[in-house]
């Protein structure tokens, strides 16, 4: 199913100032303030946000399904204050599912939203939850991630071009351990690299291995790569954030909007595209708006599908990266 086809039955246009009720898969969803501008630089409204999430839903929902979700809400748009919402709102419809997960830091149990179907996705979008941040683990096994992630964050004046170089070096190291990796844009400034994992791997294992890899690369390329957390050290370098591999942290979901000046999207890319961006030194080659991402899935399908399907065992010992 293509996004444009799936969204056709739920068109929100023409927009009106009054509240609307949308019926999606047998659920009636009250929508409000559809004409509120959430991306003021280009006049992108809440209705546009909901419309995008409906159209991308066949590709997005598999990556959200059965995962605790943190909502990042921008009720007055990207230029105003935002907040993270871990506890699923008490005013949610009864058909929005939740999952209780105990917080390691506070000891409290948090009832996270489960956005596992189109009605709950539309409901979340109507809350102006522009960004969707799911757990790396499935709800029934919250201590066992299904992927290991490396978040490549450039410190100005470095940009995504240098991220591409670092991502390719990281890919080469992972290949020595017989691990396949899949890149996506963060939708903001950098790149993220995902490594699918077999069942049973713990966050302790994935975090330790990610830190080892990041530290190795930083030691080999100290002028370009950083594995330490201090922001004061990041100027002109790529910080490989290995700490995202944690039961209580989240990374922005593939196909999620980002709260930037324009509605960019965390978009899966091919390694050939990463190489091309590095060769041409053109950061715009890996900058995608929601319309561009919709066009890409129509052409390529879900380039991140293997992240959900592929099981890979963690190496039992640290590979000899110097070979």
């Amino acid at each position: 199913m293509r996004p444009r086809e799936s969204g056709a039955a739920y068109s929100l246009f023409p927009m009106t100032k009054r509240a609307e009720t949308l019926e999606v898969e047998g659920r009636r969803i009250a929508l409000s303030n559809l004409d509120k501008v959430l991306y003021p630089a280009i006049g992108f409204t809440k209705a546009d946000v909901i419309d995008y999430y409906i159209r991308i839903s066949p590709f997005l929902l598999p990556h959200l399904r059965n995962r605790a979700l943190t909502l990042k809400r921008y009720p007055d748009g990207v230029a105003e204050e935002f907040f993270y919402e871990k506890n699923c709102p008490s005013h949610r419809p009864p058909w929005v599912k939740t999952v209780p997960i105990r917080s390691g830091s506070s000891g409290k149990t948090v009832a996270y939203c489960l956005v596992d179907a189109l009605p709950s996705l539309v409901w979340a979008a109507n809350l102006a939850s522009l960004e969707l941040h799911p757990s790396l683990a499935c709800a029934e096994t919250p201590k066992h991630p299904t992927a290991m992630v490396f978040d490549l964050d450039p410190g100005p004046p470095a940009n995504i071009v240098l991220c591409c170089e670092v991502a390719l070096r990281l890919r080469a190291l992972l290949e020595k351990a017989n691990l396949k990796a899949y890149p996506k844009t963060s939708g903001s400034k950098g790149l993220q690299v995902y490594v699918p994992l077999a069942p049973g791997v713990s966050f302790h294992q994935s975090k330790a291995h990610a830190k080892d890899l990041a530290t190795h690369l930083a030691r080999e390329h100290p002028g370009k790569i950083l594995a330490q957390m201090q922001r004061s050290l990041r100027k002109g370098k790529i910080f490989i954030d290995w700490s995202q591999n944690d039961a209580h942290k989240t990374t922005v979901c593939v196909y999620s909007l980002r709260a930037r000046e324009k509605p960019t999207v965390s978009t899966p890319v091919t390694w050939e595209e990463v190489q091309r961006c590095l060769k041409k030194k053109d950061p715009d080659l890996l900058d995608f708006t929601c319309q561009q991402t919709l066009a890409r899935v129509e052409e390529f399908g879900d380039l991140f599908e293997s992240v959900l399907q592929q099981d890979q065992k963690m190496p039992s010992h640290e590979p000899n990266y110097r070979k």
Side-chain angles (χ1 to χ4, degrees):
M1 183 186 296
R2 298 304 188 195
R4 294 187 186 279
E5 295 168 356
S6 69
Y10 308 115
S11 175
L12 300 177
F13 298 100
M15 295 175 291
T16 65
K17 292 185 179 181
R18 61 185 177 84
E20 298 284 350
T21 299
L22 191 65
E23 185 167 332
V24 180
E25 297 179 353
R27 306 291 191 187
R28 296 184 66 82
I29 306 168
L31 305 179
S32 60
N33 301 317
L34 291 178
D35 61 341
K36 178 179 279 191
V37 176
L38 299 181
Y39 292 81
I42 64 167
F44 200 81
T45 66
K46 186 196 279 191
D48 296 320
V49 168
I50 296 172
D51 193 61
Y52 166 72
Y53 275 126
I54 288 173
R55 294 179 188 277
I56 201 66
S57 62
F59 301 93
L60 168 63
L61 283 172
H63 297 278
L64 293 176
R65 193 163 288 127
N66 199 29
R67 293 177 189 270
L69 183 66
T70 297
L71 307 177
K72 191 175 182 182
R73 296 176 57 183
Y74 290 78
D76 295 309
V78 298
E80 304 299 332
E81 293 186 2
F82 66 89
F83 62 96
Y84 289 94
E85 192 158 35
K86 293 182 179 290
N87 264 307
C88 201
S90 59
H91 56 77
R92 64 185 179 272
W95 40 262
V96 173
K97 301 175 185 176
T98 63
V99 56
I101 295 180
R102 187 178 178 84
S103 171
S105 56
S106 67
K108 296 181 179 179
T109 297
V110 177
Y112 287 88
C113 296
L114 284 179
V115 175
D116 55 1
L118 184 55
S120 51
L121 179 60
V122 172
W123 168 80
N126 185 60
L127 295 178
S129 180
L130 303 183
E131 297 188 6
L132 305 170
H133 293 249
S135 171
L136 287 171
C138 291
E140 67 272 13
T141 53
K143 296 181 179 180
H144 300 279
T146 61
M148 177 170 58
V149 64
F150 299 86
D151 190 1
L152 310 185
D153 186 16
N159 58 23
I160 200 170
V161 173
L162 186 55
C163 287
C164 290
E165 179 183 332
V166 174
L168 290 165
R169 293 186 185 279
L170 177 60
R171 180 198 189 195
L173 283 185
L174 291 164
E175 285 179 339
K176 290 183 178 181
N178 297 315
L179 294 172
K180 290 187 177 180
Y182 300 85
K184 71 179 178 77
T185 70
S186 69
S188 181
K189 300 176 294 181
L191 275 178
Q192 294 161 349
V193 177
Y194 278 59
V195 181
L197 297 175
V201 176
S202 69
F203 274 108
H204 176 76
Q205 290 173 300
S206 63
K207 189 174 186 177
H209 193 69
K211 183 179 181 179
D212 286 345
L213 283 169
T215 301
H216 173 81
L217 283 173
R219 186 168 57 243
E220 293 292 303
H221 308 279
K224 295 181 178 180
I225 301 174
L226 184 71
Q228 297 168 267
M229 295 289 181
Q230 294 95 317
R231 291 189 175 274
S232 60
L233 302 177
R234 297 186 190 181
K235 182 177 180 181
K237 297 181 181 181
I238 303 302
F239 169 50
I240 303 180
D241 189 352
W242 45 267
S243 71
Q244 297 295 99
N245 298 284
D246 191 285
H248 306 292
K249 290 191 177 183
T250 59
T251 304
V252 69
C253 193
V254 66
Y255 303 118
S256 173
L257 289 168
R258 298 308 305 269
R260 298 179 71 199
E261 183 178 30
K262 58 184 179 179
T264 54
V265 171
S266 181
T267 305
V269 294
T270 65
W271 284 112
E272 290 75 19
E273 288 178 298
V274 173
Q275 292 169 329
R276 188 181 311 122
C277 179
L278 176 59
K279 182 179 180 179
K280 293 185 177 293
K281 301 189 184 306
D282 183 359
D284 291 340
L285 290 175
L286 295 182
D287 187 26
F288 303 105
T289 65
C290 57
Q291 290 299 328
Q292 290 169 315
T293 300
L294 286 169
R296 285 173 63 85
V297 295
E298 287 182 353
E299 183 175 357
F300 305 122
D302 181 10
L303 293 176
F304 239 50
E305 187 174 22
S306 293
V307 175
L308 297 177
Q309 297 178 345
Q310 191 169 14
D311 291 342
Q312 299 184 116
K313 293 183 179 180
M314 293 282 291
S316 57
H317 58 85
E318 184 173 318
N320 186 352
Y321 297 124
R322 298 181 184 277
K323 288 182 180 179

